[in-house]
Amino acid sequence: MVNEIIDNIFLVNAPAGSGKTTWIKQEVQEYLKKYLDNNILCITFTNRAALELGQGIDSNRVYFGTIHNFINHLISSFFSHELTIDFFLEVYKMQIEEQIENRNKKDSWEKRNERYREKFGTLNLETIRANIKSISYNEMEFSSFYRGELGHDDLLNFARLLADKFPIIKKKIVDKYQLIFIDEYQDTSADILHLFYSSVVGSKCKLYLLGDRMQQIYKNYKGDFEIEFKRLNRCISLNKNYRTTPKIVSILNNIYNDRDFIQLPNENNSDNLMDFQPKVFIVDDVGALVDSIKQKHTDSLILYLLNRERFDSIGIRHLYDAYSAMEKYGFARKYSSVDILIKEDLRDKDMLLYFLLLVDQIIKDCIQGLYGKVIKTLRNKSKYFNLNKCLIKQHSDKMRIMDLLKNIIDAYNDSSVDIDVFLSICRKQDFIRDEFYLALIEDPDYELVKSVKIREVNLLSSYLNNPKVSTQHGVKGESHDTVIFVVENSKGSLSVNMSKFFDVWSHIDINLNTFEAFYYSYKMLIQAVENLIGMKCADLKADTYSRFSREINNKLDIFTIDNESNSYYVHLLKDKIDKYNSKKNVTNLKACLKENYIYSVLCAYRLFYVGCSRARKNLAIIISREDVKCFESNLCNKLKSCGFEVYQ
C-alpha cells in the first residue's frame, strides 16, 4: 500500500538555516557512544560538505564521503568479474552500437572509431568485450563504453542495476552500516535513492534522507521516486531557522508558501540586528546601484546568478574567459574553469594558476617583512623556483633575494604587464626554473591565459581571501550578514527564466509541491510522446509528425483536460497549446513540448528562495526594470505582501 509508512526510513525536511549539519554531527556522536560495535555511513553531495561533517569526529566506524566515492568504493570489487563485464555490455549495448554505427554522424565518434580500428583491427561488440578486463569509474561527465569506463551519471545508474541483479551488493550495505545519512537528498539521483531504499527497507538499519526540495538546484533528480517519498517516515523536521532574523524568516516562509514547512526564528535572533529592512530595487541601471550599495555596505556579499557577471564584478572577466576557453576545463571534463579558479582544494590542479597565486602570497609575505616564510616557501616549492637563488649562507644572500623579489614585485604591481611578460621577467631574473617556464610556454592551452593582465591574478587572490561575490550555486549552504542579490535571467546549460517566474508569481500563489507536481506530469507527457515517435521532440520532423499526429493529439488532449483548471497550465502552457489546436503543425507542436520552458521557471523559483535565504541580517534584491516592465505593478504588490520594502 502506498499509504503504509516505513518506520526505519526517515525523510527529514531541513530548510535553509535549520542547522542540518549540526544535527547530523550530534546524531553521529551520540550513536557512536551508544552503539560501540556499529558503523555509520554519511553521504554528502560534495567533498567540502563531507569534510565539514567529519570535522571533529575521529572514528574509523564512520564513513564520510560523496555519493560517487562511496558507490565506487561499494561496487569496485565487482568490476573485474566476468559477470559484471557481461552485464555492463548488456546494459549499454544500444549506446555502444549507436556509437559503432555513428548513427548521429558525429565527427568525434568517427575519429574515436577510427582510432579503435587502427589499434585493434576491428570494432564490434566482440572486440570490445575481449579488450575490457575490468569496469572502472573515470570521474568524468561522460562514459567511455569502449573501454568499460563509467561517467558520473552512468556510475550511479549501473550501480543500481548491478545491485538489483546481484542483491549481495545491497546486503553488503546493511551488513556494514547500521545507520545511514544521505545529505542533500533532493540533489541525489533516483537511482541512488532506489538503491538505498531497497537495501534498507525491511532491515534493522536506519536511513535518514535530509534536505530541502526548495534548494534542489541540480537536475540530478527527475521525479521518479515520488511514490516512495510518500511512504517515508516524516516524524523528524528541522523547522527552526538559526541563521536569519525573524523578518527574513517570515519572507522565506511566504516564498515557500507551504503550511507544512513553516520555519520558526531562533529566539536569539532579533530584527534589531538588521541595518535595514529587506528591500527590493527595480531599476534601470543595475550596475550603478550595486556599486552604490557596496560603498555603503562594504562587507556585503554580491550574489549573481551567472558566473560571468560574478567574475566581471570581481575584475577578472578576462581570466575567467581564458580559462573557460581551455579544452581541459571544458564541458564534461573532470574540473571546470570555475572549479580551478575558486576551489582551494583544487588549486594545485593547474600549474600556472597555482604558481601565480603562490607568487602573490610570496609578495604579500615579503611586503609584511615575513622573510623567513618567503625563503621557506621558495625552498619547499623547488618545482617552480630556482633553488640556487634561495641559498642563504650570509647576510648578503638574504639582501640579494630581497632585491630579486623587489624586481618581481614591481612587475607584478604594473597594471600594464600581462602574464606572459611577467613569466618572462621571472625567467630573466632567474627566479623560476627553465623546465617549468618551458612547460608553460609550450602548452597551447595557456595562450589566452598568458595574454591576461597579471593584475587580474591579484584581484582573484584578494577575492579568494575574502570572497564577497558569488552565485546561488556557489553559496549553497553558506550565509552572510548582508546579501545584495542581483536577479537575472540565464540561458545556456542552466536555463533560468526569472522574468517568467516573477510574471507567474505576481498572478498566482506558487507552491513548490503543486509546481513540481505539474512539472513532473508535463515531463511524463513529453516522455510519452518521445516513446511513441522514437526520438526527442526537438528532432521531430513533418513526416514523422504526420504518421503519429493522431496518437500525439490524443495524449495532448488528455493532458489538457487533466490540467485545464491548473494555474500553472493556464499561465505557462495554455497559450501555446491553444495556438497548436488552432493550427496543428509540427512547429506549433514542438513549442508545446519543451520541458525546459517549465523547468526554467521552476528553477528560477528555487534559486530566488536560495538567494534570499543566504542573508543573516540584511537583504537587498536588485531587479532590472527591463525584465519585469510588463507586470511591474503586480510584482511590486506581490513583493510587498511577502514583507519586502519596494523601491522603483
Side-chain angles (χ1 to χ4, degrees):
M1 290 178 60
V2 173
N3 294 327
E4 182 183 351
I5 301 299
I6 299 172
D7 290 334
N8 66 320
I9 305 180
F10 302 83
L11 186 68
V12 183
N13 183 57
S18 61
K20 170 167 58 70
T21 300
T22 301
W23 185 86
I24 294 175
K25 293 179 75 164
Q26 288 175 345
E27 291 294 310
V28 168
Q29 290 167 333
E30 290 177 9
Y31 192 87
L32 288 172
K33 292 176 183 177
K34 188 174 181 179
Y35 301 98
L36 301 181
D37 297 322
N38 289 3
N39 298 307
I40 304 171
L41 172 63
C42 291
I43 291 176
T44 64
F45 199 73
T46 64
N47 285 310
R48 179 180 174 184
L51 288 171
E52 185 180 358
L53 267 179
Q55 192 172 14
I57 300 176
D58 184 17
S59 174
N60 59 9
R61 294 192 287 127
V62 190
Y63 179 100
F64 295 101
T66 65
I67 188 62
H68 288 88
N69 287 340
F70 174 74
I71 292 298
N72 186 46
H73 170 75
L74 175 69
I75 66 173
S76 59
S77 61
F78 298 87
F79 279 163
S80 59
H81 294 187
E82 296 291 322
L83 289 174
T84 301
I85 299 172
D86 289 339
F87 185 61
F88 170 86
L89 293 173
E90 178 187 332
V91 171
Y92 299 109
K93 181 181 178 182
M94 290 180 61
Q95 291 95 320
I96 295 172
E97 289 178 338
E98 184 180 6
Q99 291 188 23
I100 291 174
E101 298 169 14
N102 196 5
R103 296 170 188 169
N104 294 327
K105 307 298 180 185
K106 294 182 178 180
D107 290 339
S108 59
W109 284 11
E110 189 56 40
K111 290 178 182 178
R112 190 181 299 120
N113 291 346
E114 288 176 4
R115 288 196 299 269
Y116 197 95
R117 292 188 187 97
E118 288 174 1
K119 186 174 182 178
F120 298 107
T122 185
L123 174 58
N124 52 45
L125 285 171
E126 290 73 22
T127 308
I128 291 171
R129 174 64 182 89
N131 289 319
I132 296 177
K133 306 303 179 184
S134 178
I135 309 302
S136 63
Y137 169 43
N138 63 15
E139 300 186 46
M140 296 179 65
E141 189 73 21
F142 293 118
S143 299
S144 179
F145 295 124
Y146 292 0
R147 295 196 293 266
E149 296 178 356
L150 294 163
H152 298 323
D153 292 343
D154 285 323
L155 173 71
L156 306 184
N157 173 249
F158 187 69
R160 180 198 173 180
L161 296 173
L162 192 68
D164 287 343
K165 188 173 181 66
F166 302 108
I168 191 174
I169 295 174
K170 298 179 183 180
K171 188 173 184 299
K172 187 176 178 182
I173 295 174
V174 294
D175 283 350
K176 174 71 173 178
Y177 303 103
Q178 290 72 49
L179 181 63
I180 301 173
F181 297 95
I182 297 180
D183 193 16
E184 307 289 6
Y185 78 83
Q186 75 278 357
D187 289 319
T188 305
S189 75
D191 283 316
I192 295 304
L193 294 175
H194 279 293
L195 171 59
F196 278 95
Y197 176 91
S198 58
S199 300
V200 172
V201 68
S203 75
K204 294 181 180 180
C205 175
K206 289 185 177 180
L207 169 63
Y208 292 85
L209 305 178
L210 299 101
D212 178 14
R213 293 177 74 151
M214 185 63 96
Q215 297 187 76
Q216 182 188 334
I217 57 178
Y218 301 101
K219 211 173 179 181
N220 297 338
Y221 177 69
K222 299 177 181 178
D224 35 6
F225 197 73
E226 294 302 297
I227 294 175
E228 288 80 2
F229 275 136
K230 294 176 181 177
R231 300 184 63 194
L232 304 186
N233 192 330
R234 298 172 184 252
C235 68
I236 300 171
S237 182
L238 307 180
N239 61 356
K240 181 170 284 191
N241 189 311
Y242 295 93
R243 175 184 300 165
T244 59
T245 58
K247 188 83 171 179
I248 297 177
V249 172
S250 177
I251 288 173
L252 294 175
N253 286 334
N254 289 331
I255 296 172
Y256 214 123
N257 188 33
D258 193 323
R259 292 182 179 179
D260 293 331
F261 298 111
I262 293 176
Q263 284 190 290
L264 303 174
N266 183 28
E267 53 273 8
N268 293 327
N269 290 329
S270 168
D271 289 335
N272 294 329
L273 298 171
M274 296 190 298
D275 298 316
F276 56 82
Q277 295 293 308
K279 56 186 67 177
V280 177
F281 298 91
I282 301 177
V283 297
D284 296 311
D285 191 338
V286 171
L289 182 57
V290 170
D291 291 339
S292 175
I293 296 177
K294 281 197 304 185
Q295 290 178 3
K296 293 181 181 178
H297 303 278
T298 56
D299 202 39
S300 301
L301 171 75
I302 315 299
L303 195 58
Y304 292 94
L305 176 65
L306 306 175
N307 278 308
R308 180 160 291 184
E309 279 69 18
R310 169 194 191 180
F311 290 122
D312 195 28
S313 71
I314 300 169
I316 62 167
R317 172 73 173 271
H318 297 98
L319 189 65
Y320 168 69
D321 286 344
Y323 267 94
S324 296
M326 293 174 67
E327 184 180 353
K328 62 182 176 182
Y329 303 131
F331 180 69
R333 299 294 184 175
K334 186 175 181 179
Y335 307 117
S336 70
S337 57
V338 177
D339 292 334
I340 293 299
L341 287 169
I342 68 170
K343 292 187 177 180
E344 187 176 354
D345 57 331
L346 301 179
R347 196 67 39 79
D348 62 346
K349 302 300 180 182
D350 186 273
M351 63 177 177
L352 175 55
L353 188 63
Y354 182 78
F355 165 74
L356 292 172
L357 290 173
L358 201 60
V359 171
D360 180 270
Q361 187 58 54
I362 288 171
I363 289 172
K364 286 183 172 65
D365 291 338
C366 190
I367 292 172
Q368 294 179 36
L370 303 174
Y371 303 124
K373 186 178 178 183
V374 169
I375 301 299
K376 186 177 180 181
T377 301
L378 293 172
R379 288 176 174 175
N380 289 341
K381 302 298 179 181
S382 58
K383 175 182 177 181
Y384 309 102
F385 303 109
N386 192 337
L387 282 177
N388 294 328
K389 292 287 186 176
C390 307
L391 295 174
I392 299 179
K393 295 181 179 179
Q394 51 192 5
H395 183 70
S396 60
D397 292 331
K398 184 176 179 179
M399 299 307 298
R400 172 179 50 78
I401 294 173
M402 294 305 114
D403 287 341
L404 167 66
L405 285 172
K406 184 179 182 304
N407 294 327
I408 302 298
I409 291 171
D410 288 344
Y412 189 77
N413 289 331
D414 189 339
S415 60
S416 67
V417 171
D418 59 33
I419 292 173
D420 192 24
V421 171
F422 180 74
L423 291 172
S424 297
I425 292 171
C426 288
R427 190 195 190 193
K428 287 178 182 177
Q429 295 288 328
D430 206 21
F431 183 55
I432 57 176
R433 295 172 63 93
D434 276 351
E435 302 92 327
F436 172 63
Y437 177 79
L438 292 172
L440 293 174
I441 297 300
E442 293 170 0
D443 191 335
D445 259 354
Y446 285 126
E447 282 303 311
L448 278 177
V449 178
K450 288 185 294 183
S451 67
V452 176
K453 301 298 183 186
I454 192 70
R455 170 67 177 163
E456 293 200 18
V457 177
N458 182 266
L459 292 171
L460 173 62
S461 174
S462 298
Y463 166 76
L464 293 173
N465 289 327
N466 188 23
K468 295 299 180 183
V469 180
S470 191
T471 63
Q472 287 98 322
H473 288 71
V475 295
K476 191 169 183 284
E478 298 179 11
S479 61
H480 298 262
D481 282 349
T482 301
V483 171
I484 302 171
F485 180 10
V486 182
V487 176
E488 61 211 327
N489 299 310
S490 166
K491 296 180 180 179
S493 58
L494 175 66
S495 181
V496 179
N497 196 336
M498 280 288 182
S499 295
K500 193 62 184 178
F501 158 65
F502 282 142
D503 184 11
V504 176
W505 191 49
S506 65
H507 289 92
I508 67 173
D509 291 327
I510 293 179
N511 168 277
L512 182 63
N513 285 336
T514 55
F515 200 167
E516 279 189 333
F518 174 73
Y519 165 64
Y520 290 134
S521 69
Y522 180 60
K523 272 190 69 176
M524 289 175 63
L525 167 67
I526 294 173
Q527 188 62 60
V529 173
E530 290 180 344
N531 291 340
L532 174 67
I533 63 179
M535 65 181 70
K536 294 291 184 182
C537 291
D539 300 327
L540 184 62
K541 299 291 190 290
D543 57 339
T544 306
Y545 168 71
S546 62
R547 289 205 319 270
F548 294 103
S549 60
R550 185 173 179 178
E551 294 94 329
I552 292 172
N553 291 336
N554 183 50
K555 294 181 183 299
L556 200 60
D557 288 344
I558 294 172
F559 176 81
T560 302
I561 293 169
D562 290 341
N563 290 279
E564 58 186 355
S565 61
N566 188 304
S567 298
Y568 303 104
Y569 170 82
V570 172
H571 286 274
L572 291 170
L573 277 180
K574 187 177 185 302
D575 60 335
K576 298 181 184 298
I577 292 179
D578 285 349
K579 184 178 180 179
Y580 171 70
N581 286 328
S582 65
K583 188 176 182 179
K584 292 185 177 179
N585 58 42
V586 67
T587 300
N588 287 341
L589 175 66
K590 288 163 73 171
C592 299
L593 301 173
K594 291 184 176 180
E595 179 194 339
N596 209 48
Y597 180 69
I598 305 298
Y599 181 78
S600 65
V601 182
L602 175 59
C603 189
Y605 175 39
R606 289 171 172 151
L607 285 173
F608 183 68
Y609 173 87
V610 170
C612 293
S613 68
R614 300 308 94 186
R616 287 195 290 261
K617 296 192 296 185
N618 308 309
L619 173 63
I621 297 172
I622 303 176
I623 302 171
S624 171
R625 181 170 282 108
E626 182 65 24
D627 291 339
V628 299
K629 61 182 180 181
C630 296
F631 49 88
E632 184 176 339
S633 178
N634 287 334
L635 177 60
C636 289
N637 292 333
K638 184 72 174 187
L639 290 165
K640 290 175 183 177
S641 72
C642 285
F644 289 104
E645 293 182 354
V646 181
Y647 298 86
Q648 296 171 264

